[in-house]
Amino acid sequence: MNGSRRLHTLVPAVAVAAAMFLSAVPLPLAAQVPSTAMPTVQSTPSPAGNTTALAKEAEGWLADLIRIDTTNPPGNEEAAAKFVAGILTKEGFNPEFLELAPGRSALVARLRSAAMPDPARALLLVAHMDVVGVDKSKWTVDPFAATIKDGYMYGRGSIDDKGMLAANLAAFIALKRSNARVNHDIIFLATADEEQGGEASIRILISKYWDKFAAGFALNEGGRVVLKNGKVEYVAVQASEKVPVDVAVIARGPSGHGSVPTKDNAVVHLAAAITKIGSYTAPARFTTIVRRYFEQLAPLEDDELAKWIRSLDTPDRGEHAQRVISDTNPLWNSMLRDTVAPTMLSAGVRANVIPSEARAMLNVRLLPGDTIDVLLAELTKLVNDPNIRFEVQPNAGLAAPPSSLESDFYATITKAASQEFSGAPVLPFLSAGATDSAQLRLHNVQAYGVSPFPMTDEDSRRMHADDERIPLASFEKGVDFLARIVTEFAASK
Ligand SMILES: [Zn+2]
């Protein structure tokens, strides 16, 4: 017998694993409370000292930042920058506003090295101040009130990215207050317009002000501390990211009266094309980081899933394993291949008029190194319709080289993670989403993405969604983790 019989015995185990990993069904509140509880095993003492009181202070900063509405558009990040500048000034820093557009500034501050400054060894702490919009009617609390409930702080940006902004600020201040010798410049940077990537984004910031924050290493959002069954399973450190490209699909046909339909109706052609594109699966390709991620993930998963993870790149069972893994977790699917998501449809002006044009938008995410031309050649073949054409939109992201997994800063993060989270391993991670790090990597910065807060999948999925919230215990742990990384790196030779 062949694989099809195996599949029958496999399905329940995979389904269970999928349910555990994705747990899409919200748990009743009583069951959710323990998920915020941090592991009780005491972590190795931190070189940053005890950060508990500082983390409480930072919780107040986070609440105030949430209350400053920086929904982008329009962003209005300058209000948040002023608030952060006030805190930095009180701590003895000289923060500087980097103006980008009316009402929109980034903010930079520097803790100088006691040794000869070397920008190639400087560390940049990056977080963005803008947030995505909200549908207030879908929230159970005011999204800009920083309500504390059941051990969580609710609010737009509580995770993405004001949580990290407040935690970066705390780690930066912890180092300054400690009066420890600092061997490398540590630079705090609060950016604007991350969510839209427009006129005030990091691209513009780098082109106008690079010298103000030039650094060899950066710590940014984009990774995860995966909390499962009350325990940190692993720390995912983003070292690479997929490249977003929007593509319009345009169908043309003769316009006419709705009462006399013909076979070349643009709406019908577009619908057929989208159906075919929706069923397309790009071939899997293993980048170095994805290969390392799965190698290190296998021993953490149950035996059945581990077996499939280990078969991912084998000649005989690889293709089947890739299907199993992709079906188990859509994020794993995104890490393995280019993806295409139809996201918008438009056609027609009146019910009784056949339009001459119908359009759809595809949100494509390419693995770094893949090109849109190759993918579109595949889709053109698949759609096989002369009435359909593709048009790449001008806002595409840029492919950046991955950050090194051999750098001493990556080693610092790995060591700090293990000490902070009772031996939890660090897995290098390719994020499906885009961050400011791509632009930094294009400027030779070894940028690493962490989200330092231990979070369950259920809480992580609230980023950009309704009722975004951060467990306060996780926030405190995240402050300690960041302070540990920053203090350790600052002291290193
Ligand atoms: Zn973000």
Side-chain angles (χ1 to χ4, degrees), residues 376-429:
L376 288 187
E378 280 302 307
L379 295 184
T380 304
K381 237 190 314 180
L382 176 74
V383 167
N384 189 26
D385 182 345
N387 292 342
I388 297 283
R389 69 186 173 87
F390 295 97
E391 199 178 88
V392 178
Q393 303 300 290
N395 62 343
L398 293 169
S403 295
S404 167
L405 306 183
E406 315 302 329
S407 73
D408 48 357
F409 185 51
Y410 186 77
T412 302
I413 299 172
T414 304
K415 182 179 158 200
S418 173
Q419 290 176 340
E420 185 72 42
F421 303 114
S422 322
V426 161
L427 274 57
F429 182 60

Side-chain angles (χ1 to χ4, degrees), residues 181-199:
R181 184 187 158 87
V182 173
N183 291 324
H184 314 288
D185 277 18
I186 309 293
I187 306 161
F188 172 90
L189 180 69
T191 62
D193 203 11
E194 192 274 340
E195 300 289 0
Q196 294 263 327
E199 55 162 16

Side-chain angles (χ1 to χ4, degrees), residues 128 160-161 194-195 221 463-464:
H128 62 90
D160 181 12
D161 191 25
E194 192 274 340
E195 300 289 0
E221 63 175 341
M463 257 197 257
H464 288 214

Side-chain angles (χ1 to χ4, degrees), residues 470-484:
I470 189 164
L472 289 174
S474 298
F475 178 75
E476 286 170 29
K477 199 75 181 154
V479 166
D480 197 61
F481 180 34
L482 283 186
R484 193 187 282 270

Side-chain angles (χ1 to χ4, degrees), residues 245-297:
V245 186
D246 292 331
V247 178
V249 188
I250 303 161
R252 284 198 186 278
S255 71
H257 200 289
S259 64
V260 191
T262 60
K263 292 255 183 279
D264 39 16
N265 184 322
V267 175
V268 176
H269 281 260
L270 181 70
I274 294 300
T275 302
K276 287 179 185 166
I277 292 166
S279 65
Y280 174 72
T281 305
R285 184 165 74 77
F286 292 86
T287 66
T288 309
I289 286 167
V290 169
R291 197 182 295 278
R292 274 273 285 270
Y293 171 83
F294 281 114
E295 272 167 19
Q296 289 180 242
L297 182 69

